[in-house]
């Protein structure tokens, strides 16, 4: 694939650049990204499309014809703006946006996709890959993971307002399915809670309380159980989140 000249850069981080090609979006990874990860993201997105979840269509995986780039994932473009930019523009409407965001997440959690990767396997691999934790902590985390309720619901894995696109007619779609698995909704809620907490503990608590209310089930206990596992998986992802912040969430075994 040759990238066209008339493209707009949407995001540039870590090992990738996301471009808007007009009617399509292309996520271009550098040469450090394993090609199997790119095909996995495409396959995961195709399964999400087939499950009937509002999402961009998976169109193509292609090698970029240039010296410094590796592989790319092409998807359809969902015209609109991110929920994150809507919240930034009108912070006074946070409560209203949060409700729509939560209802969308609850709708995702009502879906199943039996061929999707399993959450438990993914978190086990991530905890195993960590070299920042000692053997006892690793054992405790894996034992805790093993004891969690076994569920097989679609989980986005990185559900936050920057991955929700609001169209002109106010319909919502979800992009960025690279981390999706089938597993426990409470784990997915714990990830969203952690991501909100990076900016505001108050917003994180509002999110968790409203999710519980809309779902009609208190999630606080299960989320607290998942948080150390989620923080460990986030540490393994090596995003630019403060390592001490994440270690603080992992080291909470005293309250057991
Ligand atoms: N199909 C799409 N239609 C419209 N906008 C999109 C689409 N895909 C991505 N975008 C926009 O590009 C931004 C970045 O894309 P994406 O979220 O997939 O990458 P990322 O956050 O860098 O990925 P990751 O979380 O895997 O590191 C999104 O926040 C969204 O604004
Ligand atoms: Mg994203």
């Amino acid at each position: 694939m040759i990238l066209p000249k008339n493209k707009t850069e949407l995001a540039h981080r870590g090992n990738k650049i996301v471009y808007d090609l007009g009617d399509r979006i292309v996520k271009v990874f550098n040469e450090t990204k394993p090609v199997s990860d790119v095909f996995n993201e495409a396959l995961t997105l195709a399964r999400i499309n087939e499950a009937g979840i509002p999402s961009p269509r998976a169109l193509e995986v292609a090698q970029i014809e240039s010296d410094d780039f590796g592989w790319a994932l092409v998807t359809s473009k969902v015209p609109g703006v991110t929920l994150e930019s809507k919240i930034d523009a009108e912070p006074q409407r946070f409560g209203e946006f949060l409700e729509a965001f939560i209802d969308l997440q609850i709708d995702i959690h009502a879906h199943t996709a039996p061929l999707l990767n399993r959450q438990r396997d993914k978190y086990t691999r991530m905890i195993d890959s960590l070299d920042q934790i000692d053997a006892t902590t690793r054992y405790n985390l894996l034992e805790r993971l093993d004891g969690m309720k076994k569920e097989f619901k679609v989980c986005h894995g990185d559900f936050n307002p920057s991955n929700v696109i609001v169209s002109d007619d106010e319909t919502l779609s979800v992009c960025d399915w690279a981390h999706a698995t089938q597993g426990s909704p409470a784990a997915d809620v714990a990830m969203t809670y952690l991501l909100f907490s990076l900016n505001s503990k108050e917003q994180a608590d509002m999110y968790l309380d409203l999710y519980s209310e809309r779902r009609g089930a208190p999630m606080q206990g299960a989320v607290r159980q998942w948080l150390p596992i989620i923080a460990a998986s986030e540490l393994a992802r090596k995003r630019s989140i403060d390592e001490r912040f994440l270690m603080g969430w992992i080291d909470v075994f005293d309250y057991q």
Side-chain angles (χ1 to χ4, degrees), residues 13 16 25 27 56 75-76 78 82 158 162-163 165 176:
R13 48 192 152 222
K16 64 176 168 297
I25 298 288
K27 213 170 178 174
T75 68
S76 64
V78 179
T82 66
D158 190 22
S162 78
N163 287 330
I165 300 164
D176 201 358

Side-chain angles (χ1 to χ4, degrees), residues 190-201:
M191 175 56 87
T192 303
Y193 180 83
L194 187 148
L195 295 171
F196 270 122
S197 300
L198 292 170
N199 291 325
S200 154
K201 173 85 169 63

